[in-house]
């Protein structure tokens, strides 16, 4: 029974991977794929590269992580170490639960209404990063909460017995013990939000050239490139679309591998 369930789950995954390799491997292996952009290419022209979209995706992910990781970790520390059953902690937990099930398009519309319509800022990659923060924060909070709960209370009590203040116990004892799992969860959460498409369609325009401007103008990303190339209706556009899709899978796979490496690197040594 379990074997049958495993096979049923693996077959669609293998099908997707084989399709991606069959249709997207040729562009990815081309000499210009990682160094050039699609700037100047007509819909019927083969060639070009994904450099512009890869740069935009990594920049958006970096800004998202810089904001959401400290925020999520601090919220989790408060809920586990300080808040406990307080009313504010219950409200914070309720809000995290809501954000955990928030559709990405709703996050994009909220940032559009707040950042662009209310504050008057331009559509930009930074606005996209803000919408991704709404999706990543609950992941970081839940992962950090879980890892903090796993830390034995004996470690905290031993530190308190030595006269170490609570905040220093958290910084020097609790967080280092939970660091491995927290880093893994952060990387997996980042891999998840990098594939979101809906906020990109709402909050930023597409550029076929390389741009590093996160606060104004158009900016490419891998999901947005897939969407735009799908609309060309040409063989060259289809090749670029599948190449971008395979590149996105490779990026997410690399992030997962880094998460596994960090988990082993920062794991608490038992011997």
């Amino acid at each position: 029974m379990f074997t049958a369930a495993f096979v049923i789950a693996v077959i669609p995954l293998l099908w997707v991977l084989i399709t991606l390799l069959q249709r997207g491997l040729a562009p990815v292996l081309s000499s210009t794929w990682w160094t050039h952009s699609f700037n100047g290419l007509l819909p019927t022209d083969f060639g070009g590269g994904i450099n512009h979209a890869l740069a935009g995706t990594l920049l958006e992910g970096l800004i998202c992580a810089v904001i959401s990781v400290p925020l999520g970790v601090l919220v989790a520390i408060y809920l586990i170490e300080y808040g406990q059953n307080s009313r504010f902690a219950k409200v914070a937990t309720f809000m995290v639960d809501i954000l955990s099930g928030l559709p990405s398009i709703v996050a994009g519309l909220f940032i559009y209404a707040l950042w662009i319509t209310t504050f008057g800022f331009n559509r930009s990659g930074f606005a996209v990063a803000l919408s991704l923060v709404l999706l990543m924060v609950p992941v970081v909070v839940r992962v950090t909460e879980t890892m903090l709960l796993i830390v034995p209370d004996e470690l905290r009590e031993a530190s308190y017995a030595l006269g170490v203040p609570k905040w220093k116990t958290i910084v020097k004892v609790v967080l280092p013990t939970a660091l491995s799992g927290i880093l893994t969860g952060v990387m997996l959460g980042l891999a998840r939000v990098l594939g979101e498409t809906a906020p990109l369609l709402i909050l930023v325009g597409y550029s076929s050239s390389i741009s590093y401007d996160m606060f104004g103008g158009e900016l490419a990303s891998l999901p947005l490139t897939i969407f735009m190339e799908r609309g060309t209706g040409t063989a060259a556009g289809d090749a670029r679309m599948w190449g971008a899709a395979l590149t996105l899978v490779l990026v997410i796979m690399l992030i997962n591998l880094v998460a596994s490496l960090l988990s082993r690197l920062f794991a608490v040594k038992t011997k």
Side-chain angles (χ1 to χ4, degrees):
M1 180 177 178
F2 292 106
T3 303
F6 174 77
V7 172
I8 292 173
V10 168
I11 287 177
L13 176 61
L14 291 177
W15 192 355
V16 170
L17 291 176
I18 291 173
T19 303
L20 281 173
L21 290 173
Q22 287 178 339
R23 303 193 178 192
L25 190 59
V28 170
L29 294 180
S30 67
S31 59
T32 60
W33 184 253
W34 301 100
T35 57
H36 290 64
S37 68
F38 293 162
N39 188 32
L41 291 179
L42 297 175
T44 55
D45 293 339
F46 286 90
I50 204 67
N51 188 287
H52 63 307
L54 187 60
T57 297
L58 295 179
L59 285 173
E60 290 168 354
L62 178 62
I63 293 177
C64 172
V66 167
I67 298 174
S68 38
V69 172
L71 182 60
V73 171
L74 289 175
V75 170
I77 290 175
Y78 170 78
L79 293 176
I80 300 301
E81 304 292 340
Y82 293 97
Q84 298 177 348
N85 295 322
S86 67
R87 181 174 300 178
F88 183 75
K90 292 179 180 179
V91 172
T93 300
F94 178 70
M95 296 304 298
V96 171
D97 291 337
I98 292 177
L99 288 176
S100 297
L102 186 71
S104 60
I105 191 170
V106 175
L109 289 172
F110 172 76
I111 295 300
Y112 185 89
L114 179 67
W115 186 255
I116 298 174
T117 303
T118 303
F119 292 158
F121 293 103
N122 295 326
R123 298 170 71 216
S124 63
F126 185 76
V128 174
L130 292 179
S131 67
L132 297 182
V133 167
L134 296 178
L135 303 175
M136 187 172 173
V137 163
V139 177
V140 177
V141 172
R142 288 302 179 220
V143 169
T144 306
E145 278 185 309
T146 302
M147 298 311 302
L148 293 179
L149 288 172
I150 292 175
V151 177
D153 287 336
E154 288 79 4
L155 293 177
R156 297 179 176 87
E157 293 169 357
S159 180
Y160 297 152
L162 294 174
V164 180
K166 187 169 185 175
W167 69 268
K168 187 172 289 188
T169 298
I170 294 172
V171 173
K172 298 292 186 179
V173 178
V174 178
L175 285 180
T177 305
L179 184 59
S180 172
I182 293 174
L183 288 176
T184 302
V186 166
M187 297 301 291
L188 294 178
L190 183 60
R192 182 246 175 183
V193 300
L194 288 182
E196 295 292 347
T197 306
L200 299 166
L201 300 176
I202 299 171
L203 296 172
V204 69
Y206 175 72
S207 173
S208 60
S209 59
I210 299 175
S211 174
Y212 302 102
D213 186 1
M214 293 294 295
F215 295 93
E218 300 174 336
L219 186 73
S221 62
L222 291 171
L224 192 56
T225 299
I226 296 171
F227 177 82
M228 298 301 296
E229 294 301 325
R230 175 184 173 274
T232 60
T234 63
D238 286 345
R240 291 193 291 266
M241 176 189 71
W242 286 106
L246 181 57
T247 302
L248 180 59
V249 171
L250 292 175
V251 169
I252 293 176
M253 182 180 69
L254 179 61
I255 292 176
N256 289 330
L257 291 175
V258 171
S260 177
L261 179 62
L262 291 176
S263 177
R264 296 182 181 182
L265 183 62
F266 291 96
V268 177
K269 304 300 185 294
T270 57
K271 293 183 180 180

